[in-house]
């Protein structure tokens, strides 16, 4: 082989080698995906920076411990309801239109149900998977990947999955999830007097008393207060607000929690039953001398409506005697009234399907 042929052969080999190297590099570049950027925000910061989650942030901010959890170290999962999810929840018939008017303990329970202390990415949410939450109950994944909770919607969809955070992952939801126990207890009472009292933010202390009373009722085999307040029998509740409980606790030199705990479930049953009249009491019925038997056997409420004799102090000047120590013929006994009507049902819109709620200041203690 002469020198020209040798040079021609070497040139061809060089060209083929370069082509192979060039082709190999191109294939390797195509096979390697772009690396996913490392997250830089906590889950709580993601809530702040992700559009459409303003309502969730606003409600979480009422509970610093939940904010601290979603801001702290760990590997959490947050199922984040978007703004439309909360609009849909508050549009539920019988549900308060403003979340601020809902018992804050219930709101916190619902929000905590959306947080898991373990990481669940979309690939982990296979059919039948159960996700434990920091609230204490679990979420179940349906066959189609939707979520089963205690909400009336049995197939809640994830609209955006796997938004990564430094301390976990966030999935955006189209609906608010309800813990099973909350759904089971609240859904049947929406639109009733029981719903007004157990959901109402201003009646959360009364709701605690009802819970203690009904624990006693279940043990004693007597009708629970909730069954009365959610039942079809029309009735009227004279309902003390949290302010009344705070005043009673202050008078006893204790906290509200200590005041509520100082009475047994049986005592709360008698006290709260004495606030319930098993009939409709309209605001126009609250006239001097009117009497109304209560759900506590042998007890009745006596009305005194005379601001000339006793000016209004905490309400309208309509006073109630519940323990029988006021004689309307003897003004010296007028200091014995137990409560004053603050707002009749017509003034605050608390007219439910099964009766009325009149807001009062004071506790209607039963006769000794």
């Amino acid at each position: 082989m002469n020198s020209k042929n040798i040079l021609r052969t070497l040139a061809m080999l060089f060209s083929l080698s370069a082509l192979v190297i060039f082709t190999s590099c191109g294939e390797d570049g195509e096979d390697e995906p772009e690396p996913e950027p490392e997250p830089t925000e906590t889950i709580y910061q993601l809530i702040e920076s992700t559009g459409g989650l303003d309502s969730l942030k606003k409600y979480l901010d009422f509970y610093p411990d939940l904010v601290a959890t979603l801001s702290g170290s760990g590997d959490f999962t947050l199922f984040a309801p978007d703004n439309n999810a909360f609009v849909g929840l508050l549009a539920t018939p019988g549900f308060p239109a403003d979340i601020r008017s809902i018992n804050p303990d219930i709101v916190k329970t619902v929000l905590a149900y959306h947080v898991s202390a373990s990481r669940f990415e979309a690939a982990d949410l296979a059919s039948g998977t159960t996700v434990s939450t920091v609230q204490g109950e679990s979420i179940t994944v349906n066959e189609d990947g939707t979520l089963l909770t205690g909400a009336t919607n049995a197939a809640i969809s994830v609209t955006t999955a796997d938004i990564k955070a430094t301390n976990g992952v966030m999935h955006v939801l189209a609906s608010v999830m309800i813990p099973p126990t909350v759904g089971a207890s609240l859904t049947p009472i929406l639109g009733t007097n029981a719903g007004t009292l157990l959901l109402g933010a201003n009646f959360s202390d009364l709701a605690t008393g009802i819970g203690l009373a009904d624990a006693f009722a279940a043990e004693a085999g007597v009708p629970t207060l909730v069954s009365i307040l959610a039942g079809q029998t029309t009735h009227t509740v004279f309902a003390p607000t949290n302010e009344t409980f705070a005043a009673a606790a202050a008078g006893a030199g204790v906290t509200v929690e200590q005041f509520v705990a100082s009475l047994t479930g049986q005592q709360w049953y008698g006290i709260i039953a004495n606030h319930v009249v098993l009939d409709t009491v309209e605001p126009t019925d609250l006239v001097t001398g009117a009497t109304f038997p209560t759900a506590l056997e042998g007890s009745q409420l006596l009305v005194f409506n005379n601001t000339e004799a006793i000016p209004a102090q905490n309400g309208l000047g309509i006073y109630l005697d519940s323990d029988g120590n006021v004689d309307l013929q003897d003004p010296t006994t007028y200091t014995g009234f137990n409560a004053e009507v603050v707002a009749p049902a017509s003034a605050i819109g608390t007219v439910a399907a099964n009766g009325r709620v009149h807001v009062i200041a004071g506790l209607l203690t039963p006769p000794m």
Side-chain angles (χ1 to χ4, degrees), residues 281-305:
V281 179
E282 299 287 359
T284 52
D285 296 327
L286 298 173
V287 297
T288 297
T291 58
F292 304 102
T294 74
L296 182 64
E297 186 176 356
S299 181
Q300 69 174 14
L301 304 182
L302 170 67
V303 179
F304 183 74
N305 186 350

Side-chain angles (χ1 to χ4, degrees), residues 88-96 187 190-191:
L89 175 67
L90 298 176
T92 303
F95 210 82
T187 300
L190 293 178

Side-chain angles (χ1 to χ4, degrees), residues 97-139:
D98 186 343
I99 203 166
R100 291 171 297 183
S101 67
I102 301 174
N103 185 328
D105 293 336
I106 294 175
V107 177
K108 183 177 182 180
T109 295
V110 170
L111 291 175
Y113 185 62
H114 290 73
V115 182
S116 175
S118 301
R119 187 187 189 96
F120 288 88
E121 296 191 7
D124 303 317
L125 298 175
S127 173
T129 300
T130 57
V131 178
S132 58
T133 72
V134 299
Q135 177 265 345
E137 297 181 75
S138 296
I139 302 159

